[in-house]
Amino acid sequence: MVIPIDASTFWQPIGLSIQISLIASAIVFLFSVFIAWKMAKARFIGKSIVETLLLLPLVLPPSVIGFILLVGLGRRSWIGRTYESIFGQPIVFSWEGAVIAATVVAFPLAYRTMRAGFEGVDSDLEDSARALGASEWQVFRYLSVPLAFRSLTAGYILGFCRGLGEFGATLMIAGNIPGKTQTIPTAIYVATDGGSMRMAWAWAGAILALSFLMLMLANRFTKD
């Protein structure tokens, strides 16, 4: 099926992709900052195992992540049934499912970047602040976060870009419903499969431009 070229057809996947990536990257940022801070400073038995689990989605094929999400959040799972009973719709084949997929695949990249930032904060400064009476929250808010700010910002941007380009997991759990769950990567896939190469090139150019601009911002924050 050849996709007609019009403004609505072109902009719908772009707008939805940006919306999904913004929400997913915000969720990723909140979780990554807290977990990265804890993992950067913590010393406990089994830390390497926890670290491996946190980074596992970075190396797993997106289709495997999508399959796990489909089983864990589908209508046969207790999570899926509970969600559907509360909100009146399943997680599968919804834009919420696309947000979850983008969040899962973007988390490891953002987490690893932020953890490196927190590891670069001088522990002696943090210990001195504690010795002067600062609470853990005060140390985190007024010392660790400002000193690691560049890495935190870069981690957020990289997470946004990763979520923007997510394809395999999104396709499995959210599908490819135009105007509802169709993102730029899935739109490119359908356009290519249907022989609409002009639309495929247009969407590819759009995601290339967005990713280029975001990575330029990330590079500015990671420069010495």
Side-chain angles (χ1 to χ4, degrees), residues 110 115-116 136 160 165 207:
R115 187 200 64 198
E136 285 299 314
F160 177 89
I207 197 170

Side-chain angles (χ1 to χ4, degrees), residues 4 18 30 44 49 53-54 57 61-62 68 74 76 92 104 113 123 128 137 142 165 171 178 183 196 199 203 206 223:
I18 293 174
L30 293 176
F44 58 89
I49 296 176
L53 290 173
L54 291 173
I68 294 173
R76 295 185 179 181
V92 178
V104 172
T113 305
S123 297
S128 297
W137 167 247
Y142 297 109
L171 188 63
T183 59
S196 300
M199 287 300 296
W203 281 319
K223 286 181 180 179

Side-chain angles (χ1 to χ4, degrees), residues 104-135:
V104 172
V105 299
F107 172 81
L109 187 58
Y111 161 76
R112 189 171 64 172
T113 305
M114 295 179 187
R115 187 200 64 198
F118 283 124
E119 288 175 344
V121 176
D122 192 344
S123 297
D124 291 338
L125 292 175
E126 295 175 322
D127 292 338
S128 297
R130 295 186 185 98
L132 292 172
S135 65

Side-chain angles (χ1 to χ4, degrees), residues 181-194:
T181 65
Q182 187 179 68
T183 59
I184 302 175
T186 57
I188 292 173
Y189 172 78
V190 171
T192 303
D193 186 59

Side-chain angles (χ1 to χ4, degrees), residues 77-101:
S77 70
W78 68 270
I79 297 177
R81 291 195 299 270
T82 303
Y83 181 92
E84 188 169 358
S85 66
I86 295 173
F87 296 99
Q89 64 175 25
I91 301 177
V92 178
F93 301 122
S94 68
W95 72 270
E96 291 89 348
V99 170
I100 293 172

Side-chain angles (χ1 to χ4, degrees), residues 29 117-118 121 143-155 221:
F29 180 81
F118 283 124
V121 176
L143 187 63
S144 302
V145 168
L147 292 176
F149 177 76
R150 296 171 71 180
S151 294
L152 301 185
T153 305
F221 283 103

Side-chain angles (χ1 to χ4, degrees), residues 35-43 47 51 111 114-120 123:
I35 297 175
W37 180 58
K38 289 294 186 181
M39 291 297 292
K41 306 299 179 181
R43 298 291 182 271
K47 180 180 178 180
E51 190 81 24
Y111 161 76
M114 295 179 187
R115 187 200 64 198
F118 283 124
E119 288 175 344
S123 297

